[in-house]
Amino acid sequence: MKNPYKNSFHIEPVKGLLNDPNGLIQFKGKYYFFHQWNRFETNHEYKEWGLFTSKDLVKWENQGSAILPDVEDDKNGIYSGSSIEKDGTMYLFYTGNSKKQGKRKSYQKMAYSEDGRTFVKKKQVIETPTGYTEHHRDPKVWKKNGKWWMIVGAQTKSNVGAITLFESSDLVKWQYQGEFYSDIALDQVCECPDVFSLSNDVDILTVCPQKRTLIEEMDLPISSYAGYLVGKIDYQQKKFVELEKLRKLDYGFDFYAPQTFEDDKGRRILTAWMSRMEEREEISCPTAKEGYLHCLTMPRELKWKKGHLYQVPLKEYEVLRIDKREYREDCLLIKNQNNTYEMIINFNASIGDFSMTLNSERNSISYRKGRLEISRINWATGENESREVQLDSLYKLHIFNDSSAVEVFINDGEYVFSMRAFSSDCNRDVYYQNLGHNGSVMFYNY
Ligand code: FRU
């Protein structure tokens, strides 16, 4: 029988477990999305970098393995990291996880590639600075003021999430520059930090806070959200100066370990892991039976507008549209058997209470008194669960529905909800109520 959960426009592995996007880059005319991969099983016991490439950010070619855990200082996992290009060579920075007598040891390492197919590891490594535990990982590298900078996610020895900073003039020798940022809002470990500018006066620092005790083996319930800080990098003080408290990047259920890169059109593009589930959710996830787990979000463009971070779907996705239907009825049942489609709902300014259901009524979206709520049936518990955000107004919903992944962009990307949603039913009717006067629904089959 055909696998009803197989996504068609979200990157997912054919086999094994995929997690964080890594080393995102546009290199010699192609987009490279590396990712954390256990190519053997649907668990987290083995990690290498796998690779997908694309010419247009929509159709992806699976290139299989890229970097393997095959030397002493990364033998227990090629963990997350980033990449940059210098003089026609791709440089990839990652964390080598190397257990010594069962104890975690982390090294920040580098590999390079001239052709994007063969990756050569360099011997030099960065050791964890004093004051931090071995939860020191996920290097992100960028260039500024003629120098290379690297931030690394960390846990202080007093058990607070932090980010360390390094500097280099040749990408090989790195000097530790001190703590870039730390705050109790980062919980006990910060994973996968990223930092970038979106305008002359605003830098964004994205973070993934994790709860953890100082006892290595004791794992606490995971927190699966990614956040961002609005502020400014102070290159003199070598610190990130925050202007506001931590905000959520995505309001759905499935969004973790985001990473960004800049493409040749100057767009800052983000993609994330969909997602960091609880262990029981991974075990009972319907695709685990098919031998694979997880996917990435669609890449999105980031924009800074009116003091707010917008996440906008890429125009490239429009090539997937194969037909277009338009509806203006106030309430309607849209008959549909197709797993993959896009919907754009434009509301009139005076919208009242709106609601809709999709995917055999397993998902709902409702808007009441300024509160937008999205729900799904959790496949592990069988229970309905919801997430919400308070809006000043609602004028647009932009929905991308893949076979088992839904992304909802609100008000041109003011907020986004990402979620996995599993329905084996071939009835994919959409029902909506109270579109209101002058509202319109565009429905595109993929
Ligand atoms: C985040 C993370 C990273 C680490 C990788 C290991 O999901 O825990 O911190 O490098 O996954 O797969």
Side-chain angles (χ1 to χ4, degrees):
M1 220 187 72
K2 207 173 146 242
N3 168 8
Y5 313 113
K6 194 171 169 19
N7 284 315
S8 63
F9 58 95
H10 283 82
I11 290 178
E12 59 187 9
V14 275
K15 188 172 187 288
L17 179 147
L18 164 150
N19 56 302
D20 316 353
N22 293 152
L24 308 180
I25 192 169
Q26 188 179 18
F27 178 71
K28 299 185 178 166
K30 256 202 260 173
Y31 292 98
Y32 286 71
F33 279 22
F34 299 87
H35 62 91
Q36 287 288 282
W37 191 25
N38 180 350
R39 75 183 131 116
F40 303 108
E41 290 180 286
T42 51
N43 61 38
H44 293 267
E45 279 162 26
Y46 168 93
K47 292 294 163 86
E48 62 176 56
W49 278 27
L51 170 63
F52 286 81
T53 57
S54 172
K55 291 212 176 81
D56 61 3
L57 289 165
V58 180
K59 283 174 245 68
W60 292 91
E61 275 177 43
N62 190 341
Q63 307 289 355
S65 300
I67 310 181
L68 300 177
D70 55 5
V71 294
E72 180 59 32
D73 54 26
D74 59 28
K75 67 180 189 316
N76 298 101
I78 307 291
Y79 277 11
S80 288
S82 58
S83 66
I84 55 102
E85 180 184 342
K86 183 181 160 254
D87 304 331
T89 300
M90 188 195 298
Y91 293 86
L92 309 107
F93 299 87
Y94 62 93
T95 302
N97 180 27
S98 182
K99 294 214 166 119
K100 293 216 164 62
Q101 280 131 20
K103 279 191 86 177
R104 180 188 294 266
K105 183 85 183 91
S106 296
Y107 301 101
Q108 312 316 316
K109 299 190 52 179
M110 192 250 271
Y112 64 92
S113 176
E114 255 131 55
D115 59 4
R117 296 189 71 83
T118 318
F119 303 92
V120 183
K121 290 179 181 175
K122 281 266 191 192
K123 285 217 164 58
Q124 287 88 343
V125 298
I126 300 176
E127 300 256 3
T128 304
T130 34
Y132 300 90
T133 73
E134 289 302 320
H135 285 287
H136 189 240
R137 55 177 172 266
D138 313 333
K140 172 78 192 199
V141 174
W142 75 99
K143 193 176 188 183
K144 181 78 184 177
N145 304 336
K147 286 182 187 154
W148 296 98
W149 303 87
M150 176 195 287
I151 49 171
V152 183
Q155 174 186 41
T156 67
K157 285 205 168 135
S158 46
N159 206 15
V160 181
I163 298 167
T164 56
L165 179 72
F166 298 80
E167 186 196 297
S168 173
S169 53
D170 62 2
L171 292 173
V172 178
K173 285 182 262 40
W174 291 87
Q175 282 87 37
Y176 178 53
Q177 302 296 317
E179 196 165 82
F180 187 62
Y181 184 77
S182 178
D183 189 81
I184 46 166
L186 298 188
D187 291 336
Q188 289 78 46
V189 180
C190 175
E191 295 188 316
C192 302
D194 192 353
V195 71
F196 46 88
S197 289
L198 281 184
S199 79
N200 285 342
D201 26 62
V202 170
D203 296 322
I204 303 285
L205 176 64
T206 62
V207 292
C208 294
Q210 277 301 305
K211 298 191 189 338
R212 196 173 273 280
T213 63
L214 280 174
I215 306 163
E216 174 68 23
E217 293 74 29
M218 212 170 113
D219 275 342
L220 295 174
I222 54 171
S223 53
S224 292
Y225 85 96
Y228 70 98
L229 289 150
V230 178
K232 207 64 206 135
I233 304 172
D234 182 336
Y235 283 95
Q236 246 73 53
Q237 300 296 319
K238 300 182 173 165
K239 290 208 175 300
F240 184 83
V241 184
E242 77 190 269
L243 298 170
E244 288 173 21
K245 293 278 159 248
L246 191 61
R247 302 189 205 169
K248 255 188 181 181
L249 256 173
D250 187 287
Y251 284 76
F253 301 89
D254 295 300
F255 184 96
Y256 195 71
Q259 189 179 101
T260 72
F261 71 105
E262 196 180 62
D263 80 348
D264 61 6
K265 298 189 181 75
R267 298 181 296 182
R268 177 60 57 175
I269 296 174
L270 171 147
T271 189
W273 173 27
M274 219 175 159
S275 82
R276 195 171 206 274
M277 299 173 182
E278 297 284 343
E279 200 180 349
R280 65 177 177 157
E281 290 173 336
E282 285 193 335
I283 290 168
S284 61
C285 183
T287 70
K289 285 190 215 74
E290 310 282 343
Y292 70 95
L293 266 186
H294 307 312
C295 64
L296 299 183
T297 65
M298 296 157 60
R300 325 170 164 169
E301 185 182 351
L302 300 182
K303 290 189 175 164
W304 183 252
K305 278 198 299 194
K306 296 181 245 154
H308 190 88
L309 182 65
Y310 280 74
Q311 301 174 55
V312 184
L314 298 182
K315 213 168 160 34
E316 279 90 336
Y317 279 87
E318 290 177 10
V319 302
L320 295 176
R321 297 173 179 174
I322 53 176
D323 64 17
K324 172 174 152 184
R325 287 182 262 166
E326 188 175 343
Y327 306 101
R328 293 192 169 263
E329 287 84 346
D330 190 43
C331 299
L332 190 68
L333 174 70
I334 304 175
K335 297 298 279 178
N336 172 46
Q337 300 262 317
N338 192 350
N339 287 358
T340 54
Y341 59 85
E342 178 188 344
M343 271 178 96
I344 301 178
I345 309 180
N346 282 298
F347 299 99
N348 182 295
S350 59
I351 179 196
D353 293 350
F354 172 81
S355 66
M356 68 189 291
T357 57
L358 20 152
N359 296 322
S360 325
E361 296 181 16
R362 294 180 79 81
N363 301 121
S364 71
I365 302 176
S366 65
Y367 180 68
R368 273 186 200 95
K369 299 196 172 76
R371 207 179 63 142
L372 191 117
E373 188 182 279
I374 299 216
S375 79
R376 70 172 179 192
I377 296 174
N378 185 293
W379 58 94
T381 62
E383 278 165 23
N384 201 57
E385 53 187 4
S386 63
R387 294 283 160 93
E388 60 183 59
V389 68
Q390 193 67 31
L391 304 177
D392 290 338
S393 69
L394 175 65
Y395 61 85
K396 187 166 172 185
L397 282 176
H398 194 161
I399 303 166
F400 291 84
N401 202 90
D402 207 339
S403 301
S404 61
V406 187
E407 296 186 44
V408 183
F409 295 79
I410 296 147
N411 296 344
D412 290 316
E414 184 183 6
Y415 298 99
V416 191
F417 285 76
S418 303
M419 67 175 157
R420 297 306 303 271
F422 299 97
S423 165
S424 58
D425 202 325
C426 50
N427 166 0
R428 297 290 181 133
D429 292 350
V430 175
Y431 178 63
Y432 70 78
Q433 281 188 82
N434 298 339
L435 178 63
H437 191 55
N438 281 342
S440 69
V441 176
M442 296 288 191
F443 190 96
Y444 303 93
N445 270 306
Y446 276 5

